[in-house]
Amino acid sequence: MLKLSQSSYWQELQALALTHGETHLRDLFAEDAGRFQNYSLRVQNILFDYSKNCLTDEVMEALFGLAGDMDLQGAIERMYRGAKINTTEGRAVLHTALRNRSNAPVFVDEINVMEQINQELANMRQFVDKVRSGEWLGYSGKRITDVVNIGIGGSNLGPKMVTQALSAYADNNIRVHFISNVDGVEVAEVLRPLNPEQVLFVVASKTFTTSETMTNAQTARNWLMASAFDERAVKNHFVAVSTNVEAVAEFGIDTEHMFTMWDWVGGRYSIWSAIGLPIALYLGFDQFEDLLTGAHDMDRHFRDQPMASNAPVILALVGIWNSLLHGAQCQVILPYDQPLKSFTAYIQQADMESNGKHVDQTGNRVSYPTAPVVWGQLGIDGQHAFYQLLHQGNVIVPADFIGSVESSTPVRGHHENLMANFFAQTEALMNGIGAGQVREQLQAQGLDDKQIEDLLPHKVHEGNRPSNTLLLDRVDPRTLGALIALYEHKIFSQGVIWDICSFDQWGVELGKTLAQGILAEINGHSTNAHDSSTNGLIDYFKSQRS
Ligand code: F6P
């Protein structure tokens, strides 16, 4: 396989980026009445419009050529077939198998993992049905009303995002809560209003060693004991999701009440495994299966569709093009759908933890930007916060706008208002408003020539700011599953093209290790083993504590 810099398409794209430096999106739309039709496609209840990016057929051809040179199709096959593409950890990467509704066998080390997956799904269903039906009781004989997920990163963001996104589909049988932060404020806030007799804790940690999660789980256990005064209550109120049987048992959770996952499930791709248990408890298992089905539909699309009509591949290529053309190192994700309020945070981990790497697969420093800084929040709130910079700032930030044709909770007049803003923003970013038009507006307001010339540069919007629009039919389990998988495969495709290992996360380890040593210093003697700033800060913190 070629190195990226050896691909003639990569060189062609760099040349095209120079040629297109002056091209304005406005002109591309004026030249081609069919631009929207040509640069949009519909996949699994999602309309994907990428026409508001500075692309031409020539650019698209070169991007597809680049994906071919980097053997994207081969890499997709290797992932789906269970090859150990997480090269630095020697692991397969099989979140696609977790939602493989076709049940076609998938082998890792000659074992068909579909058997294990199906067994675990059956265990989950049985447990979920017991809890939701009231058959599973707390230590005092009362039914479970509240599920508290204790986990962080991939063991928190996905279940939290999805339960928020699909709350319109919940029957209020069970409430869900999330504790991720080791800041005691969170555990106190979540637990204070709850009745320990009716709470089920799901301790979710692939490794079962993550210190934030273990600290929170221990506090939750103490909280339960303060009410139950009986160790046996742990059995009724704690279940675990992990790969680490010994640690789960040592914590005191009955391993019969442990749901497993496997080393080929990455934390940030684990929502489809038993890490999704809070989703199933909240919505019922059938709805969880719909989420899996939606993702599986997208998996089939990604594997089978030719590149020119392959949504995740195009989304990835558009991102790569924008980083070349505009030097864009940011990507803002802007949901215009209240249920998707945590979607950006979820994709932020998936993207930045996967592709935030500076060396290629062979360990050489790369000469091109890799993962963008992914950020954002609900678009409508962002309009009144940071959109000024998106429209007139001195940096180009490619934007993904995500909205729905139907609101999951229709309230008269609201959705139309929301979506009017949604469409207006992508138009404004693309078109901008030129000096001529601004001048006319100011003249119509009766300003004199001097006033107009003074104001003009402040009011001109250059436009030409790229965006994608993803318009869902509605946020339902199946569509949400497809949307998440769309982004997962985008991230995968970019990692393949940038020739990086998207499935490790060594960059988060260093801080974790240092924190362990510093915790010992906070609780005991300072070692002064750090630089003067870190030593000084630790000493100051200790000396100021009452
Ligand atoms: O932040 C690093 C990380 O390893 C993530 O990849 C993972 O989602 C998170 O920590 C939680 O890990 P665990 O599930 O093992 O507690």
Side-chain angles (χ1 to χ4, degrees):
M1 198 189 67
L2 288 180
K3 288 273 172 210
L4 180 61
S5 54
Q6 293 165 336
S7 162
S8 60
Y9 289 107
W10 181 245
Q11 284 142 24
E12 186 185 336
L13 283 161
Q14 285 175 316
L16 283 168
L18 292 177
T19 324
H20 283 291
E22 299 300 312
T23 308
H24 201 292
L25 271 168
R26 223 171 15 226
D27 299 327
L28 294 178
F29 274 94
E31 281 161 20
D32 177 9
R35 187 168 175 85
F36 169 65
Q37 274 75 22
N38 295 337
Y39 295 110
S40 64
L41 58 100
R42 190 178 148 84
V43 51
Q44 323 298 349
N45 302 340
I46 303 171
L47 175 71
F48 169 34
D49 172 23
Y50 54 102
S51 62
K52 290 194 181 93
N53 291 282
C54 194
L55 296 158
T56 60
D57 288 350
E58 192 185 17
V59 170
M60 289 309 299
E61 283 308 315
L63 286 167
F64 293 135
L66 177 68
D69 272 0
M70 299 310 291
D71 191 22
L72 177 56
Q73 200 59 54
I76 296 171
E77 272 312 301
R78 284 192 290 282
M79 173 168 72
Y80 280 64
R81 287 177 188 274
K84 297 195 173 168
I85 60 169
N86 176 352
T87 46
T88 67
E89 296 179 303
R91 294 174 181 172
V93 174
L94 279 176
H95 42 281
T96 51
L98 295 170
R99 60 215 189 195
N100 173 16
R101 311 310 287 162
S102 78
N103 208 22
V106 179
F107 292 94
V108 177
D109 295 329
E110 293 169 24
I111 293 169
N112 178 11
V113 296
M114 289 315 300
E115 286 167 20
Q116 307 165 13
I117 291 169
N118 291 335
Q119 181 57 56
E120 207 53 23
L121 286 172
N123 293 345
M124 283 171 72
R125 178 184 279 280
Q126 201 184 33
F127 174 71
V128 165
D129 289 350
K130 266 192 196 166
V131 175
R132 287 176 54 80
S133 67
E135 190 187 332
W136 179 287
L137 299 173
Y139 74 87
S140 62
K142 293 188 181 151
R143 64 179 293 160
I144 300 297
T145 53
D146 294 86
V147 168
V148 178
N149 188 78
I150 301 179
I152 196 163
S155 302
N156 163 68
L157 290 164
K160 184 172 171 181
M161 182 272 284
V162 171
T163 50
Q164 282 173 354
L166 299 178
S167 65
Y169 298 83
D171 55 9
N172 292 327
N173 187 340
I174 301 271
R175 291 178 289 267
V176 277
H177 315 265
F178 293 88
I179 299 173
S180 59
N181 197 342
V182 75
D183 187 332
V185 173
E186 186 170 50
V187 66
E189 269 177 6
V190 171
L191 297 187
R192 201 173 280 129
L194 302 182
N195 176 3
E197 294 167 74
Q198 297 190 283
V199 169
L200 176 75
F201 291 101
V202 178
V203 185
S205 175
K206 182 176 168 183
T207 54
F208 229 74
T209 56
T210 304
S211 78
E212 296 90 329
T213 300
M214 291 305 111
T215 306
N216 281 323
Q218 194 55 54
T219 301
R221 197 177 192 283
N222 297 343
W223 177 79
L224 174 71
M225 282 307 125
S227 156
F229 297 107
D230 185 345
E231 290 289 328
R232 286 172 299 181
V234 173
K235 194 171 159 44
N236 305 55
H237 292 273
F238 277 83
V239 297
V241 182
S242 186
T243 53
N244 190 343
V245 188
E246 292 79 24
V248 169
E250 198 179 318
F251 181 85
I253 296 176
D254 188 340
T255 50
E256 259 186 47
H257 302 155
M258 171 181 167
F259 297 87
T260 200
M261 52 201 285
W262 303 272
D263 73 354
W264 39 261
V265 182
R268 53 194 173 273
Y269 299 94
S270 61
I271 192 177
W272 321 101
S273 71
I275 291 289
L277 196 62
I279 303 170
L281 286 163
Y282 182 51
L283 300 174
F285 202 78
D286 289 347
Q287 310 243 36
F288 181 67
E289 278 192 337
D290 283 349
L291 186 79
L292 301 184
T293 303
H296 176 62
D297 291 343
M298 187 59 77
D299 291 343
R300 285 190 300 139
H301 169 90
F302 182 51
R303 193 177 190 176
D304 298 341
Q305 278 299 309
M307 284 191 207
S309 53
N310 191 313
V313 172
I314 293 172
L315 192 60
L317 294 174
V318 169
I320 289 173
W321 173 242
N322 282 331
S323 77
L324 268 175
L325 180 67
H326 300 294
Q329 296 200 17
C330 281
Q331 172 70 58
V332 67
I333 301 184
L334 302 164
Y336 277 69
D337 219 321
Q338 183 73 17
L340 294 178
K341 65 181 173 193
S342 294
F343 187 75
T344 305
Y346 178 75
I347 298 300
Q348 184 179 58
Q349 187 206 15
D351 199 330
M352 294 173 73
E353 203 166 81
S354 296
N355 287 343
K357 316 281 164 69
H358 72 288
V359 295
D360 66 16
Q361 291 275 11
T362 45
N364 295 312
R365 197 177 185 102
V366 300
S367 57
Y368 38 85
T370 53
V373 176
V374 176
W375 62 288
Q377 63 172 72
L378 284 175
I380 202 77
D381 293 321
Q383 282 180 213
H384 300 274
F386 54 78
Y387 274 39
Q388 167 60 39
L389 180 145
L390 300 186
H391 286 287
Q392 288 189 306
N394 209 7
V395 60
I396 302 279
V397 185
D400 285 358
F401 285 79
I402 306 174
S404 297
V405 174
E406 280 177 32
S407 168
S408 52
T409 309
V411 181
R412 187 189 294 265
H414 283 247
H415 197 58
E416 296 74 8
N417 187 334
L418 177 70
M419 294 308 285
N421 278 281
F422 178 83
F423 298 122
Q425 290 298 331
T426 68
E427 184 182 18
L429 285 167
M430 185 275 281
N431 251 333
I433 177 164
Q437 231 181 317
V438 174
R439 194 172 278 118
E440 275 171 28
Q441 286 177 356
L442 295 176
Q443 278 164 352
Q445 288 168 22
L447 273 67
D448 65 31
D449 286 352
K450 166 87 173 72
Q451 287 171 316
I452 291 175
E453 291 318 310
D454 285 348
L455 261 183
L456 202 65
H458 300 279
K459 299 204 78 164
V460 165
H461 291 52
E462 289 168 349
N464 210 21
R465 310 218 162 196
S467 69
N468 294 307
T469 299
L470 295 161
L471 194 47
L472 321 184
D473 287 359
R474 69 193 66 76
V475 178
D476 60 24
R478 218 165 152 152
T479 309
L480 183 62
L483 180 70
I484 300 168
L486 169 68
Y487 273 92
E488 285 178 349
H489 294 322
K490 170 212 169 173
I491 293 163
F492 172 79
S493 303
Q494 290 190 333
V496 170
I497 292 170
W498 288 324
D499 188 25
I500 55 182
C501 182
S502 300
F503 297 102
D504 58 23
Q505 58 284 320
W506 301 110
V508 294
E509 295 304 325
L510 176 61
K512 280 190 197 174
T513 313
L514 288 175
Q516 276 169 13
I518 292 176
L519 179 60
E521 290 181 55
I522 288 175
N523 290 332
H525 293 294
S526 298
T527 61
N528 278 337
H530 313 273
D531 57 89
S532 65
S533 163
T534 310
N535 284 334
L537 290 167
I538 296 169
D539 289 344
Y540 179 83
F541 171 74
K542 289 178 73 170
S543 69
Q544 295 299 308
R545 298 184 87 191
S546 51

